[in-house]
Each structure stands twice: as structure tokens, then as C-alpha cells.
Amino acid sequence: MESGRLFFGSACRGNMLFLGNGDSVYRGGSIISMEESSKKRPFFSSPEELFDEEYYDEQLPEKKRRLTPEQVLLLEKSFEEENKLEPERKTELAKKLGLQPRQVAVWFQNRRARWKTKQLERDYDVLKSSYDALLSKYDSIIKDNEKLKSEVVALNEKLLAKEMPGEALPEEKAVPLIMELAQMSTLPFNVKLEDRLSSGSGGSAVVDEDAPQLVVDSVNSYFSAENFEGCLARVDRVQSSSSEDGSDDGGSYFSDVFVAPEPEHQHHEEGEALYWWAWS
DNA sequence: TTGTGTTTTATTGCCTCC
DNA sequence: GGAGGCAATAAAACACAA
């Protein structure tokens, strides 16, 4: 058991027995009469009353005594400075407040516990909002992905129906066709790819401003350079607001175009992610 | 007035550190 | 082994709705 405990008399757990002769009770370092102690101080008194030591001393409950606002204020200040209590500071505070050092120590202990609880609540709030933001971002990426997938499927169907009904399309014919269809499409792939491809890096990308467009983080999104290694073109950024020069503070449209060195073309899916390959 | 929920003060037991 | 910290808990003090 911790030494220096039982300031208020021996106690069975949760049942305090106060030192005294029956007519008096130990209170914050002094003995008062039961008669006096039976007068109760209302919790919310006027500030004058609350800070009036004399008034407070006369309104003593027989058992636990609440600290005065003055005492609490000083303790709070001290806690703000340092939430641990060195023996010296404890004694000093106790003297200043007219409390037992043990009471000061207990107050700090309980205060630390309250602080910890509040901190946990704050941490929870931060984590939760972070989680919610991530979840919403994730949902939107999933939706975009689904949209892109269905667009690819639609394009493939058109391709096959147009060129070779009932047959697979040779790759050398598929590429120009996909480009053509992409231009006709109203979905996010409606980019004039040849603008980029024919003029090299200096060419200007053209975006259909009326069409629904996607915004993809070119750095953090799935659509990163690694995933587009060997690609003919990467749709780096498409957005709903029109942009004259194809660039804004968030980056430029199609700023990264990968010219494919590979001699083939394919449409390739891996898990939830969609790859778009084109071989020349 | 009374029942109930919350806050505050304090104890107990265990653990760690020196 | 003593001192101090912490978690769990008790119980008084208090707020508040019915």
C-alpha cells in the first residue's frame, strides 16, 4: 500500500471513516464540529460567496469537501505548467492552498486521468474524420473505376460490331479504331488522343468541355507513372470545370504522355485497377 | 420531491523505477 | 523496499427532468 495514505482516517474501500470524537470531523487539515459541517454550500453560489473563504469555511459538508474555485484555479494553472508534480511543488501548492499534500497529489492524479480521457476523445475525432474523408475518396474512386470499366467494355463492343462482327480484331486495326471511338465518345475517354500523339510532347491536348470529366490525382492516385509504363497515353487529369490552356494550379491536363515502345496493343485489367495499353 | 446521471474527491491494489 | 503513477472503483456532491 502506498505510504502516506489515509489522511482522512482509515477506510474500508468506499466507506470513509473520519477521525474525530463524533462531534467533529476532519476537513482539509482542520477539525470542525458536526453542527457546522452539516450546513451545506450550494454548488453554484455567487462568485463573491464562492471566493469568500469565511463563507466557505462555514458551509462544510461532513464528508467530501469540494475545492473552492480559487483552489481549483491555482491547481489548474499549476497543471498547465506541468502535469506532473514534484514533491517540492506539491508541498508548496499544499501550503498555498491550505490543503494536505496528499490532496494535491490526488487532485493531480485525477486531473491527469481527465486529461487522458479528453485526449482520447480528441484523438478519436481526428481519426474518425480522417477515416470518413478517406472512405468518401475511396467510394468516389470506385465509382470512377466502374465508369471507366464500363466505357472500355462499350468501346470494345462497338469496335467488334463495326469492324469484325463475330471475330477478334487484329491489333493493327484496333488502335486507330479505339482512337476514333474515343473521340466520338461522351465519356471520360473523349480526348483527342491524336493531338497528343501526332505533335509529340509539344502538342496541345483537347478536351470536350461539355462532357463529364474526372479529376485524378496524378501523383497519389492509382494512375501513377508506374502503372502506365509503356502506355500510349495517360489521361492524367480531366475535370468538369473548363480550362482554356488545359492547366491550373492543380497540374495540367495530360501533362504526362507515355509513348509506347511496345509493338502491340492491349486492354488489360488487374484486380480493381484498370490499365489502358496501346501498342503502336 | 425524487430518481437518475454526471462530476469530483478519495481509496485500493498493482506496477515500475531507482 | 519505498515512492509515485495509474486503472478501477466508491461515494459524496451536484444538476436536472419528471
Side-chain angles (χ1 to χ4, degrees):
Chain A
M1 179 193 291
E2 187 175 329
S3 66
R5 282 176 176 166
L6 307 178
F7 277 111
F8 298 96
S10 178
C12 306
R13 188 182 177 91
N15 196 1
M16 287 190 289
L17 302 170
F18 285 78
L19 293 176
N21 58 9
D23 294 321
S24 56
V25 60
Y26 185 87
R27 172 185 60 82
S30 61
I31 304 293
I32 59 157
S33 75
M34 280 300 223
E35 229 174 13
E36 278 175 344
S37 72
S38 67
K39 298 178 198 165
K40 290 199 176 181
R41 170 176 66 95
F43 188 70
F44 290 115
S45 309
S46 70
E48 293 75 26
E49 283 175 336
L50 287 170
F51 282 91
D52 184 348
E53 201 65 32
E54 226 175 55
Y55 169 86
Y56 185 66
D57 280 349
E58 285 169 5
Q59 317 296 313
L60 293 165
E62 54 271 323
K63 292 180 181 174
K64 284 184 184 176
R65 180 204 189 194
R66 293 222 165 185
L67 303 177
T68 65
E70 208 175 19
Q71 286 170 322
V72 171
L73 201 70
L74 194 60
L75 286 165
E76 287 285 356
K77 265 189 181 176
S78 187
F79 183 85
E80 261 180 51
E81 285 169 20
E82 173 67 57
N83 73 346
K84 291 272 170 105
L85 197 59
E86 313 81 52
E88 225 174 76
R89 198 155 65 103
K90 179 167 68 178
T91 317
E92 194 185 316
L93 268 172
K95 256 186 192 171
K96 235 184 226 178
L97 297 167
L99 298 171
Q100 291 292 324
R102 172 69 186 158
Q103 283 179 289
V104 176
V106 164
W107 188 91
F108 265 72
Q109 200 143 305
N110 287 323
R111 186 65 181 80
R112 279 196 295 272
R114 287 198 293 272
W115 181 87
K116 194 179 173 185
T117 306
K118 288 279 173 207
Q119 190 58 40
L120 279 171
E121 283 171 14
R122 282 192 288 270
D123 289 348
Y124 171 80
D125 288 343
V126 168
L127 279 172
K128 190 174 185 310
S129 61
S130 177
Y131 169 79
D132 289 344
L134 269 174
L135 187 65
S136 125
K137 202 171 178 181
Y138 172 80
D139 286 345
S140 114
I141 286 170
I142 291 296
K143 276 179 193 160
D144 291 347
N145 193 26
E146 289 302 319
K147 208 172 177 182
L148 289 169
K149 275 202 245 180
S150 62
E151 174 63 7
V152 168
V153 168
L155 282 171
N156 269 333
E157 280 171 2
K158 279 184 188 173
L159 200 64
L160 290 172
K162 186 171 181 179
E163 273 298 298
M164 309 248 167
E167 276 188 58
L169 193 66
E171 285 155 359
E172 63 270 16
K173 291 193 175 182
V175 171
L177 248 169
I178 287 172
M179 287 166 62
E180 188 189 332
L181 287 168
Q183 285 180 57
M184 292 158 58
S185 170
T186 56
L187 285 167
F189 283 103
N190 58 346
V191 175
K192 293 185 179 172
L193 297 175
E194 78 278 16
D195 282 356
R196 255 336 216 167
L197 297 171
S198 60
S199 58
S201 60
S204 62
V206 179
V207 179
D208 185 343
E209 292 174 0
D210 297 329
Q213 296 161 357
L214 301 174
V215 175
V216 179
D217 185 329
S218 62
V219 177
N220 297 316
S221 79
Y222 164 77
F223 299 96
S224 57
E226 307 88 71
N227 289 333
F228 283 84
E229 192 184 352
C231 285
L232 179 67
R234 181 179 72 162
V235 180
D236 183 66
R237 184 192 169 106
V238 188
Q239 63 181 26
S240 57
S241 63
S242 61
S243 178
E244 288 298 320
D245 58 1
S247 68
D248 58 20
D249 52 354
S252 43
Y253 289 101
F254 321 118
S255 56
D256 299 301
V257 171
F258 303 98
V259 178
E262 307 298 336
E264 290 177 58
H265 127 254
Q266 83 178 43
H267 169 208
H268 171 80
E269 223 179 297
E270 193 174 291
E272 278 291 290
L274 177 70
Y275 290 83
W276 219 68
W277 301 87
W279 280 267
S280 58

